[in-house]
Amino acid sequence: MKNLKFDYSFVISYETDVQRCYYTIKAIPQDSARQKIQNVEIKMIPESKPEYATDCHGNKYIWGCNPLPHKMFKFHITGDAVCGLTDYEEVVEENELMIFRHGTKINAAGEKITSYYKTLEKELNLASVTSELEKAKLIMNRLNSDFIYEKNITDVKTSAEEAFEKGKGVCQDFAHILISLLHLAGCSARYVTGFLTGEGATHAWVEVACNGKWYGVDPCNNTDNLETYIKIGVGRDASECQINRGVMHGGGDQTLETFLSVTDRGQGSNYLKKGFV
């Protein structure tokens, strides 16, 4: 069990004044069997009075409007997370099994991923593995060896098939490819976003349904030990977990800068990093 302190913010800078901005932000960690969230504080510049809501996957988010002209929008959230309370995330809802068993445009298996899965099926003898979680671990371990982590090779629109063909990518690509492979294995799997101790930006991993519960695995780091992971939200792919969405009048070109600080109080380690997305 880990006692973590998180501090996350993003700043959007605009070339010219934004006259009015409508936003939706999914950056609020949620309670689950594995983690409990406390002392959450949210601040925004310009100041706004957001509404709170929950989407169809149970993700918390805020939405609202900044009506005054501005050249900068900042979102800042802090809080405490006790993680690792259990080895699973939450109980599976029956209707979720079908929703998360089929690919989307981003993580649908193409010819190359399908061929790769057939190779894994034989070499790992997946037909003899009855546990979905064990299948996920076996496939994750192999994917981590065969796919290389490298920045600036893919972007947010890159599909699993495209990333797999490149052979390189970031955590988002690892997650999309693993989900695609798990679907071919007959498993229900979903995309997860959150914070990870030592990361300079948000992280992505995967949850697989097994024996009526959701279990997390991280193909980018080849681990299922998620004590230092703070979960924000889930979806079929990254597009359903996107932290910031908005519609605005004016603004011109814009840049997005993110900041993340995660403190593991149990070990007394402090991490402060800066990243750009």
Short mmCIF file of all heavy atoms in Angstrom, two decimals, residues 61-122:
data_model
loop_
_atom_site.label_atom_id
_atom_site.label_comp_id
_atom_site.label_asym_id
_atom_site.label_seq_id
_atom_site.Cartn_x
_atom_site.Cartn_y
_atom_site.Cartn_z
N TYR A 61 -15.74 14.16 -14.29
CA TYR A 61 -15.19 15.26 -15.05
C TYR A 61 -15.88 16.56 -14.67
O TYR A 61 -16.93 16.56 -14.02
CB TYR A 61 -15.30 15.02 -16.57
CG TYR A 61 -16.70 15.03 -17.12
CD1 TYR A 61 -17.26 16.19 -17.66
CD2 TYR A 61 -17.47 13.86 -17.16
CE1 TYR A 61 -18.54 16.20 -18.19
CE2 TYR A 61 -18.75 13.85 -17.69
CZ TYR A 61 -19.28 15.03 -18.21
OH TYR A 61 -20.55 15.03 -18.74
N ILE A 62 -15.26 17.66 -15.05
CA ILE A 62 -15.87 18.97 -14.84
C ILE A 62 -16.05 19.64 -16.19
O ILE A 62 -15.31 19.38 -17.14
CB ILE A 62 -15.02 19.87 -13.91
CG1 ILE A 62 -13.65 20.16 -14.52
CG2 ILE A 62 -14.86 19.24 -12.54
CD1 ILE A 62 -12.84 21.15 -13.73
N TRP A 63 -17.06 20.49 -16.27
CA TRP A 63 -17.29 21.22 -17.52
C TRP A 63 -17.81 22.61 -17.18
O TRP A 63 -18.34 22.87 -16.10
CB TRP A 63 -18.28 20.47 -18.41
CG TRP A 63 -19.65 20.30 -17.80
CD1 TRP A 63 -20.07 19.31 -16.96
CD2 TRP A 63 -20.78 21.17 -17.98
NE1 TRP A 63 -21.38 19.48 -16.60
CE2 TRP A 63 -21.85 20.62 -17.22
CE3 TRP A 63 -21.00 22.33 -18.72
CZ2 TRP A 63 -23.11 21.21 -17.18
CZ3 TRP A 63 -22.27 22.92 -18.67
CH2 TRP A 63 -23.30 22.35 -17.91
N GLY A 64 -17.59 23.52 -18.11
CA GLY A 64 -18.02 24.88 -17.86
C GLY A 64 -17.63 25.80 -19.00
O GLY A 64 -17.26 25.36 -20.09
N CYS A 65 -17.67 27.11 -18.71
CA CYS A 65 -17.37 28.11 -19.72
C CYS A 65 -16.60 29.27 -19.10
O CYS A 65 -16.94 29.72 -17.99
CB CYS A 65 -18.68 28.64 -20.35
SG CYS A 65 -18.44 30.02 -21.49
N ASN A 66 -15.55 29.71 -19.79
CA ASN A 66 -14.85 30.94 -19.43
C ASN A 66 -15.31 32.04 -20.39
O ASN A 66 -14.90 32.06 -21.55
CB ASN A 66 -13.33 30.76 -19.54
CG ASN A 66 -12.77 29.93 -18.41
OD1 ASN A 66 -13.11 30.13 -17.25
ND2 ASN A 66 -11.91 28.98 -18.75
N PRO A 67 -16.17 32.95 -19.93
CA PRO A 67 -16.76 33.93 -20.85
C PRO A 67 -15.88 35.15 -21.12
O PRO A 67 -16.12 35.87 -22.08
CB PRO A 67 -18.03 34.35 -20.12
CG PRO A 67 -17.69 34.21 -18.68
CD PRO A 67 -16.77 33.02 -18.59
N LEU A 68 -14.85 35.39 -20.29
CA LEU A 68 -14.04 36.59 -20.43
C LEU A 68 -12.85 36.35 -21.36
O LEU A 68 -12.30 35.25 -21.40
CB LEU A 68 -13.54 37.04 -19.06
CG LEU A 68 -14.61 37.39 -18.02
CD1 LEU A 68 -13.96 37.75 -16.70
CD2 LEU A 68 -15.49 38.54 -18.52
N PRO A 69 -12.41 37.36 -22.10
CA PRO A 69 -11.25 37.22 -22.98
C PRO A 69 -10.00 36.83 -22.18
O PRO A 69 -9.76 37.35 -21.10
CB PRO A 69 -11.08 38.62 -23.59
CG PRO A 69 -12.45 39.23 -23.50
CD PRO A 69 -13.03 38.70 -22.23
N HIS A 70 -9.21 35.90 -22.71
CA HIS A 70 -8.00 35.47 -22.03
C HIS A 70 -7.03 34.86 -23.03
O HIS A 70 -7.43 34.31 -24.06
CB HIS A 70 -8.30 34.46 -20.92
CG HIS A 70 -9.07 33.26 -21.37
ND1 HIS A 70 -10.44 33.26 -21.56
CD2 HIS A 70 -8.65 32.00 -21.67
CE1 HIS A 70 -10.83 32.06 -21.96
NE2 HIS A 70 -9.77 31.28 -22.03
N LYS A 71 -5.73 34.95 -22.72
CA LYS A 71 -4.68 34.36 -23.55
C LYS A 71 -4.04 33.15 -22.90
O LYS A 71 -3.12 32.55 -23.45
CB LYS A 71 -3.59 35.40 -23.85
CG LYS A 71 -3.97 36.41 -24.90
CD LYS A 71 -2.76 37.25 -25.31
CE LYS A 71 -3.10 38.18 -26.45
NZ LYS A 71 -1.93 39.00 -26.88
N MET A 72 -4.54 32.78 -21.71
CA MET A 72 -3.98 31.64 -20.99
C MET A 72 -5.07 30.98 -20.16
O MET A 72 -5.88 31.66 -19.55
CB MET A 72 -2.83 32.09 -20.09
CG MET A 72 -2.15 30.96 -19.33
SD MET A 72 -2.89 30.65 -17.70
CE MET A 72 -2.35 32.11 -16.80
N PHE A 73 -5.08 29.64 -20.20
CA PHE A 73 -6.01 28.88 -19.38
C PHE A 73 -5.22 27.86 -18.59
O PHE A 73 -4.44 27.07 -19.16
CB PHE A 73 -7.05 28.16 -20.25
CG PHE A 73 -7.97 27.26 -19.47
CD1 PHE A 73 -8.86 27.78 -18.54
CD2 PHE A 73 -7.95 25.89 -19.66
CE1 PHE A 73 -9.70 26.94 -17.82
CE2 PHE A 73 -8.78 25.04 -18.95
CZ PHE A 73 -9.67 25.58 -18.03
N LYS A 74 -5.36 27.87 -17.26
CA LYS A 74 -4.63 26.94 -16.40
C LYS A 74 -5.59 26.13 -15.55
O LYS A 74 -6.52 26.67 -14.95
CB LYS A 74 -3.66 27.69 -15.49
CG LYS A 74 -2.86 26.77 -14.57
CD LYS A 74 -1.85 27.53 -13.72
CE LYS A 74 -1.04 26.59 -12.84
NZ LYS A 74 -0.04 27.31 -12.03
N PHE A 75 -5.33 24.83 -15.53
CA PHE A 75 -6.07 23.90 -14.66
C PHE A 75 -5.08 23.29 -13.68
O PHE A 75 -3.99 22.85 -14.09
CB PHE A 75 -6.74 22.80 -15.48
CG PHE A 75 -7.34 21.71 -14.64
CD1 PHE A 75 -8.62 21.84 -14.12
CD2 PHE A 75 -6.63 20.55 -14.37
CE1 PHE A 75 -9.18 20.83 -13.34
CE2 PHE A 75 -7.18 19.53 -13.60
CZ PHE A 75 -8.46 19.68 -13.08
N HIS A 76 -5.42 23.24 -12.40
CA HIS A 76 -4.50 22.74 -11.38
C HIS A 76 -5.29 21.88 -10.39
O HIS A 76 -6.30 22.31 -9.83
CB HIS A 76 -3.85 23.92 -10.65
CG HIS A 76 -2.80 23.52 -9.67
ND1 HIS A 76 -2.38 24.33 -8.65
CD2 HIS A 76 -2.04 22.38 -9.55
CE1 HIS A 76 -1.44 23.73 -7.94
NE2 HIS A 76 -1.23 22.54 -8.47
N ILE A 77 -4.84 20.65 -10.17
CA ILE A 77 -5.49 19.75 -9.22
C ILE A 77 -4.45 19.13 -8.30
O ILE A 77 -3.36 18.74 -8.73
CB ILE A 77 -6.30 18.64 -9.93
CG1 ILE A 77 -7.03 17.75 -8.91
CG2 ILE A 77 -5.42 17.81 -10.86
CD1 ILE A 77 -8.03 16.79 -9.55
N THR A 78 -4.75 19.08 -7.01
CA THR A 78 -3.90 18.43 -6.02
C THR A 78 -4.75 17.51 -5.16
O THR A 78 -5.99 17.66 -5.08
CB THR A 78 -3.18 19.44 -5.11
OG1 THR A 78 -4.17 20.21 -4.40
CG2 THR A 78 -2.30 20.37 -5.92
N GLY A 79 -4.12 16.55 -4.51
CA GLY A 79 -4.86 15.66 -3.63
C GLY A 79 -3.98 14.53 -3.12
O GLY A 79 -2.79 14.45 -3.41
N ASP A 80 -4.60 13.66 -2.33
CA ASP A 80 -3.93 12.50 -1.75
C ASP A 80 -4.58 11.22 -2.27
O ASP A 80 -5.80 11.17 -2.47
CB ASP A 80 -4.02 12.51 -0.23
CG ASP A 80 -3.39 13.75 0.37
OD1 ASP A 80 -2.26 14.08 -0.03
OD2 ASP A 80 -4.02 14.39 1.23
N ALA A 81 -3.76 10.19 -2.48
CA ALA A 81 -4.26 8.91 -2.95
C ALA A 81 -3.62 7.79 -2.16
O ALA A 81 -2.39 7.70 -2.07
CB ALA A 81 -3.98 8.73 -4.44
N VAL A 82 -4.44 6.94 -1.57
CA VAL A 82 -3.95 5.72 -0.93
C VAL A 82 -4.17 4.59 -1.94
O VAL A 82 -5.31 4.26 -2.27
CB VAL A 82 -4.69 5.42 0.38
CG1 VAL A 82 -4.15 4.14 1.01
CG2 VAL A 82 -4.55 6.59 1.35
N CYS A 83 -3.09 4.02 -2.45
CA CYS A 83 -3.17 3.04 -3.54
C CYS A 83 -2.67 1.67 -3.09
O CYS A 83 -1.91 1.55 -2.13
CB CYS A 83 -2.35 3.52 -4.73
SG CYS A 83 -2.90 5.09 -5.43
N GLY A 84 -3.12 0.64 -3.80
CA GLY A 84 -2.70 -0.72 -3.48
C GLY A 84 -3.51 -1.36 -2.37
O GLY A 84 -3.04 -2.28 -1.70
N LEU A 85 -4.75 -0.88 -2.17
CA LEU A 85 -5.60 -1.45 -1.12
C LEU A 85 -6.02 -2.89 -1.46
O LEU A 85 -6.26 -3.70 -0.57
CB LEU A 85 -6.84 -0.58 -0.92
CG LEU A 85 -6.56 0.85 -0.41
CD1 LEU A 85 -7.84 1.68 -0.43
CD2 LEU A 85 -5.99 0.80 1.00
N THR A 86 -6.14 -3.17 -2.75
CA THR A 86 -6.42 -4.52 -3.23
C THR A 86 -5.58 -4.75 -4.48
O THR A 86 -4.94 -3.83 -4.98
CB THR A 86 -7.90 -4.73 -3.59
OG1 THR A 86 -8.23 -3.88 -4.69
CG2 THR A 86 -8.81 -4.41 -2.41
N ASP A 87 -5.59 -5.96 -5.02
CA ASP A 87 -4.87 -6.23 -6.26
C ASP A 87 -5.76 -6.04 -7.49
O ASP A 87 -5.30 -6.20 -8.62
CB ASP A 87 -4.28 -7.64 -6.26
CG ASP A 87 -5.34 -8.72 -6.14
OD1 ASP A 87 -6.51 -8.39 -5.88
OD2 ASP A 87 -4.99 -9.91 -6.32
N TYR A 88 -7.05 -5.71 -7.29
CA TYR A 88 -7.94 -5.47 -8.41
C TYR A 88 -8.52 -4.06 -8.30
O TYR A 88 -8.43 -3.41 -7.26
CB TYR A 88 -9.06 -6.51 -8.46
CG TYR A 88 -10.05 -6.42 -7.32
CD1 TYR A 88 -11.22 -5.68 -7.45
CD2 TYR A 88 -9.82 -7.07 -6.11
CE1 TYR A 88 -12.14 -5.60 -6.41
CE2 TYR A 88 -10.72 -6.99 -5.06
CZ TYR A 88 -11.88 -6.25 -5.22
OH TYR A 88 -12.78 -6.15 -4.18
N GLU A 89 -9.13 -3.60 -9.40
CA GLU A 89 -9.67 -2.25 -9.44
C GLU A 89 -11.10 -2.18 -8.92
O GLU A 89 -11.41 -1.42 -8.02
CB GLU A 89 -9.64 -1.71 -10.88
CG GLU A 89 -8.25 -1.36 -11.35
CD GLU A 89 -7.66 -0.18 -10.61
OE1 GLU A 89 -8.42 0.67 -10.12
OE2 GLU A 89 -6.43 -0.11 -10.52
N GLU A 90 -11.96 -2.96 -9.52
CA GLU A 90 -13.38 -2.95 -9.15
C GLU A 90 -14.08 -4.14 -9.76
O GLU A 90 -13.52 -4.85 -10.59
CB GLU A 90 -14.03 -1.65 -9.64
CG GLU A 90 -13.87 -1.39 -11.12
CD GLU A 90 -14.21 0.03 -11.51
OE1 GLU A 90 -14.58 0.81 -10.63
OE2 GLU A 90 -14.07 0.35 -12.70
N VAL A 91 -15.32 -4.36 -9.34
CA VAL A 91 -16.12 -5.46 -9.86
C VAL A 91 -16.61 -5.12 -11.26
O VAL A 91 -16.94 -3.97 -11.56
CB VAL A 91 -17.31 -5.74 -8.92
CG1 VAL A 91 -18.22 -6.80 -9.51
CG2 VAL A 91 -16.80 -6.17 -7.55
N VAL A 92 -16.62 -6.10 -12.13
CA VAL A 92 -17.04 -5.91 -13.52
C VAL A 92 -18.57 -5.85 -13.60
O VAL A 92 -19.26 -6.70 -13.04
CB VAL A 92 -16.53 -7.06 -14.40
CG1 VAL A 92 -17.09 -6.93 -15.82
CG2 VAL A 92 -15.01 -7.07 -14.43
N GLU A 93 -19.08 -4.84 -14.28
CA GLU A 93 -20.50 -4.80 -14.60
C GLU A 93 -20.73 -5.70 -15.82
O GLU A 93 -19.96 -5.67 -16.77
CB GLU A 93 -20.94 -3.37 -14.93
CG GLU A 93 -20.82 -2.39 -13.77
CD GLU A 93 -21.82 -2.67 -12.66
OE1 GLU A 93 -22.85 -3.33 -12.94
OE2 GLU A 93 -21.56 -2.25 -11.51
N GLU A 94 -21.78 -6.49 -15.80
CA GLU A 94 -22.00 -7.49 -16.84
C GLU A 94 -22.04 -6.89 -18.24
O GLU A 94 -21.47 -7.45 -19.19
CB GLU A 94 -23.31 -8.24 -16.57
CG GLU A 94 -23.51 -9.47 -17.44
CD GLU A 94 -22.45 -10.55 -17.20
OE1 GLU A 94 -21.95 -10.64 -16.07
OE2 GLU A 94 -22.14 -11.28 -18.15
N ASN A 95 -22.66 -5.72 -18.40
CA ASN A 95 -22.76 -5.12 -19.73
C ASN A 95 -21.42 -4.60 -20.23
O ASN A 95 -21.24 -4.34 -21.42
CB ASN A 95 -23.79 -3.99 -19.74
CG ASN A 95 -23.43 -2.84 -18.81
OD1 ASN A 95 -22.63 -3.02 -17.90
ND2 ASN A 95 -23.99 -1.68 -19.03
N GLU A 96 -20.43 -4.44 -19.33
CA GLU A 96 -19.11 -3.96 -19.75
C GLU A 96 -18.32 -5.02 -20.52
O GLU A 96 -17.45 -4.68 -21.32
CB GLU A 96 -18.30 -3.52 -18.52
CG GLU A 96 -18.83 -2.30 -17.82
CD GLU A 96 -18.00 -1.94 -16.60
OE1 GLU A 96 -17.52 -2.87 -15.93
OE2 GLU A 96 -17.85 -0.74 -16.35
N LEU A 97 -18.61 -6.28 -20.27
CA LEU A 97 -17.83 -7.34 -20.90
C LEU A 97 -17.90 -7.24 -22.41
O LEU A 97 -16.88 -7.39 -23.10
CB LEU A 97 -18.35 -8.70 -20.43
CG LEU A 97 -18.07 -9.05 -18.97
CD1 LEU A 97 -18.75 -10.36 -18.60
CD2 LEU A 97 -16.58 -9.13 -18.71
N MET A 98 -19.07 -6.97 -22.96
CA MET A 98 -19.22 -6.88 -24.41
C MET A 98 -18.67 -5.56 -24.93
O MET A 98 -18.01 -5.51 -25.98
CB MET A 98 -20.69 -7.03 -24.80
CG MET A 98 -20.90 -7.12 -26.31
SD MET A 98 -20.00 -8.52 -27.06
CE MET A 98 -20.86 -9.91 -26.32
N ILE A 99 -18.92 -4.46 -24.20
CA ILE A 99 -18.45 -3.15 -24.63
C ILE A 99 -16.94 -3.13 -24.82
O ILE A 99 -16.42 -2.56 -25.78
CB ILE A 99 -18.87 -2.06 -23.62
CG1 ILE A 99 -20.38 -1.91 -23.59
CG2 ILE A 99 -18.20 -0.73 -23.93
CD1 ILE A 99 -20.88 -0.99 -22.48
N PHE A 100 -16.23 -3.78 -23.90
CA PHE A 100 -14.77 -3.73 -23.92
C PHE A 100 -14.13 -4.97 -24.54
O PHE A 100 -12.97 -5.27 -24.29
CB PHE A 100 -14.24 -3.51 -22.50
CG PHE A 100 -14.59 -2.17 -21.93
CD1 PHE A 100 -15.51 -2.05 -20.90
CD2 PHE A 100 -14.00 -1.02 -22.43
CE1 PHE A 100 -15.84 -0.81 -20.38
CE2 PHE A 100 -14.31 0.23 -21.92
CZ PHE A 100 -15.24 0.33 -20.89
N ARG A 101 -14.90 -5.70 -25.33
CA ARG A 101 -14.36 -6.87 -26.00
C ARG A 101 -14.11 -6.63 -27.49
O ARG A 101 -13.52 -7.46 -28.17
CB ARG A 101 -15.29 -8.07 -25.82
CG ARG A 101 -14.71 -9.41 -26.27
CD ARG A 101 -15.57 -10.57 -25.82
NE ARG A 101 -15.45 -10.78 -24.39
CZ ARG A 101 -16.28 -11.51 -23.66
NH1 ARG A 101 -17.33 -12.07 -24.25
NH2 ARG A 101 -16.10 -11.67 -22.37
N HIS A 102 -14.55 -5.49 -27.99
CA HIS A 102 -14.42 -5.18 -29.41
C HIS A 102 -13.62 -3.91 -29.61
O HIS A 102 -13.74 -2.95 -28.84
CB HIS A 102 -15.80 -5.05 -30.06
CG HIS A 102 -16.62 -6.30 -29.97
ND1 HIS A 102 -16.40 -7.39 -30.78
CD2 HIS A 102 -17.64 -6.64 -29.14
CE1 HIS A 102 -17.26 -8.35 -30.47
NE2 HIS A 102 -18.03 -7.92 -29.47
N GLY A 103 -12.83 -3.87 -30.67
CA GLY A 103 -11.96 -2.75 -30.95
C GLY A 103 -12.68 -1.54 -31.50
O GLY A 103 -13.80 -1.63 -32.01
N THR A 104 -12.02 -0.41 -31.41
CA THR A 104 -12.49 0.83 -32.01
C THR A 104 -11.62 1.12 -33.23
O THR A 104 -10.73 0.34 -33.58
CB THR A 104 -12.38 2.00 -31.01
OG1 THR A 104 -10.97 2.23 -30.73
CG2 THR A 104 -13.10 1.68 -29.71
N LYS A 105 -11.84 2.27 -33.85
CA LYS A 105 -11.03 2.66 -35.00
C LYS A 105 -9.55 2.74 -34.61
O LYS A 105 -8.67 2.44 -35.42
CB LYS A 105 -11.51 4.00 -35.53
CG LYS A 105 -10.77 4.49 -36.76
CD LYS A 105 -11.34 5.81 -37.24
CE LYS A 105 -10.59 6.31 -38.48
NZ LYS A 105 -11.14 7.60 -38.97
N ILE A 106 -9.28 3.13 -33.36
CA ILE A 106 -7.90 3.31 -32.92
C ILE A 106 -7.23 2.00 -32.56
O ILE A 106 -6.05 1.78 -32.86
CB ILE A 106 -7.85 4.28 -31.72
CG1 ILE A 106 -8.28 5.69 -32.15
CG2 ILE A 106 -6.44 4.34 -31.12
CD1 ILE A 106 -8.30 6.70 -31.03
N ASN A 107 -7.95 1.09 -31.89
CA ASN A 107 -7.27 -0.13 -31.43
C ASN A 107 -7.76 -1.42 -32.08
O ASN A 107 -7.49 -2.52 -31.59
CB ASN A 107 -7.36 -0.24 -29.89
CG ASN A 107 -8.79 -0.31 -29.39
OD1 ASN A 107 -9.69 -0.78 -30.07
ND2 ASN A 107 -9.01 0.19 -28.18
N ALA A 108 -8.45 -1.30 -33.21
CA ALA A 108 -8.86 -2.51 -33.92
C ALA A 108 -7.64 -3.24 -34.48
O ALA A 108 -6.69 -2.62 -34.96
CB ALA A 108 -9.82 -2.14 -35.05
N ALA A 109 -7.68 -4.56 -34.43
CA ALA A 109 -6.55 -5.36 -34.93
C ALA A 109 -6.54 -5.38 -36.44
O ALA A 109 -7.53 -5.75 -37.08
CB ALA A 109 -6.64 -6.77 -34.38
N GLY A 110 -5.41 -4.98 -37.02
CA GLY A 110 -5.23 -5.07 -38.46
C GLY A 110 -4.48 -6.34 -38.82
O GLY A 110 -4.28 -7.23 -37.99
N GLU A 111 -4.01 -6.39 -40.05
CA GLU A 111 -3.35 -7.60 -40.55
C GLU A 111 -2.08 -7.93 -39.77
O GLU A 111 -1.84 -9.10 -39.42
CB GLU A 111 -3.00 -7.40 -42.03
CG GLU A 111 -2.33 -8.59 -42.67
CD GLU A 111 -2.03 -8.36 -44.14
OE1 GLU A 111 -2.68 -7.49 -44.75
OE2 GLU A 111 -1.13 -9.05 -44.67
N LYS A 112 -1.27 -6.92 -39.46
CA LYS A 112 0.02 -7.17 -38.81
C LYS A 112 -0.16 -7.59 -37.34
O LYS A 112 0.53 -8.49 -36.86
CB LYS A 112 0.91 -5.94 -38.92
CG LYS A 112 1.36 -5.64 -40.34
CD LYS A 112 2.35 -4.52 -40.40
CE LYS A 112 2.78 -4.23 -41.83
NZ LYS A 112 3.43 -5.41 -42.45
N ILE A 113 -1.07 -6.93 -36.63
CA ILE A 113 -1.31 -7.31 -35.23
C ILE A 113 -1.94 -8.70 -35.17
O ILE A 113 -1.60 -9.52 -34.29
CB ILE A 113 -2.19 -6.27 -34.52
CG1 ILE A 113 -1.39 -4.99 -34.28
CG2 ILE A 113 -2.73 -6.81 -33.20
CD1 ILE A 113 -2.16 -3.89 -33.57
N THR A 114 -2.84 -9.00 -36.09
CA THR A 114 -3.47 -10.32 -36.12
C THR A 114 -2.43 -11.41 -36.37
O THR A 114 -2.44 -12.47 -35.73
CB THR A 114 -4.56 -10.38 -37.20
OG1 THR A 114 -5.56 -9.39 -36.92
CG2 THR A 114 -5.21 -11.75 -37.23
N SER A 115 -1.52 -11.14 -37.30
CA SER A 115 -0.45 -12.11 -37.58
C SER A 115 0.45 -12.29 -36.37
O SER A 115 0.86 -13.43 -36.03
CB SER A 115 0.37 -11.62 -38.78
OG SER A 115 1.47 -12.47 -39.04
N TYR A 116 0.77 -11.19 -35.69
CA TYR A 116 1.60 -11.25 -34.49
C TYR A 116 0.90 -12.07 -33.40
O TYR A 116 1.54 -12.89 -32.72
CB TYR A 116 1.87 -9.83 -34.00
CG TYR A 116 2.68 -9.71 -32.74
CD1 TYR A 116 4.01 -10.10 -32.68
CD2 TYR A 116 2.11 -9.16 -31.58
CE1 TYR A 116 4.76 -9.97 -31.52
CE2 TYR A 116 2.85 -9.01 -30.42
CZ TYR A 116 4.17 -9.42 -30.39
OH TYR A 116 4.89 -9.28 -29.24
N TYR A 117 -0.41 -11.87 -33.24
CA TYR A 117 -1.14 -12.62 -32.22
C TYR A 117 -1.10 -14.12 -32.51
O TYR A 117 -0.93 -14.94 -31.60
CB TYR A 117 -2.60 -12.15 -32.14
CG TYR A 117 -3.39 -13.04 -31.20
CD1 TYR A 117 -3.25 -12.92 -29.82
CD2 TYR A 117 -4.23 -14.04 -31.69
CE1 TYR A 117 -3.92 -13.76 -28.95
CE2 TYR A 117 -4.91 -14.88 -30.84
CZ TYR A 117 -4.75 -14.74 -29.47
OH TYR A 117 -5.41 -15.58 -28.62
N LYS A 118 -1.25 -14.50 -33.77
CA LYS A 118 -1.22 -15.92 -34.12
C LYS A 118 0.13 -16.55 -33.76
O LYS A 118 0.19 -17.70 -33.32
CB LYS A 118 -1.51 -16.10 -35.61
CG LYS A 118 -2.96 -15.78 -35.99
CD LYS A 118 -3.19 -15.95 -37.49
CE LYS A 118 -4.64 -15.64 -37.84
NZ LYS A 118 -4.90 -15.77 -39.30
N THR A 119 1.19 -15.76 -33.91
CA THR A 119 2.51 -16.24 -33.51
C THR A 119 2.58 -16.43 -32.00
O THR A 119 3.07 -17.46 -31.51
CB THR A 119 3.59 -15.24 -33.94
OG1 THR A 119 3.59 -15.12 -35.36
CG2 THR A 119 4.97 -15.70 -33.48
N LEU A 120 2.07 -15.44 -31.26
CA LEU A 120 2.07 -15.54 -29.80
C LEU A 120 1.20 -16.70 -29.33
O LEU A 120 1.55 -17.39 -28.36
CB LEU A 120 1.55 -14.23 -29.19
CG LEU A 120 2.34 -12.95 -29.43
CD1 LEU A 120 1.74 -11.80 -28.63
CD2 LEU A 120 3.80 -13.14 -29.06
N GLU A 121 0.08 -16.89 -29.99
CA GLU A 121 -0.84 -17.95 -29.60
C GLU A 121 -0.15 -19.30 -29.62
O GLU A 121 -0.36 -20.14 -28.72
CB GLU A 121 -2.04 -17.93 -30.56
CG GLU A 121 -3.20 -18.81 -30.12
CD GLU A 121 -4.38 -18.66 -31.04
OE1 GLU A 121 -4.18 -18.38 -32.24
OE2 GLU A 121 -5.52 -18.83 -30.56
N LYS A 122 0.68 -19.52 -30.63
CA LYS A 122 1.41 -20.79 -30.73
C LYS A 122 2.58 -20.85 -29.76
O LYS A 122 2.74 -21.82 -29.02
CB LYS A 122 1.91 -20.98 -32.16
CG LYS A 122 0.81 -21.19 -33.19
CD LYS A 122 1.41 -21.36 -34.58
CE LYS A 122 0.32 -21.57 -35.62
NZ LYS A 122 0.89 -21.72 -37.00
#
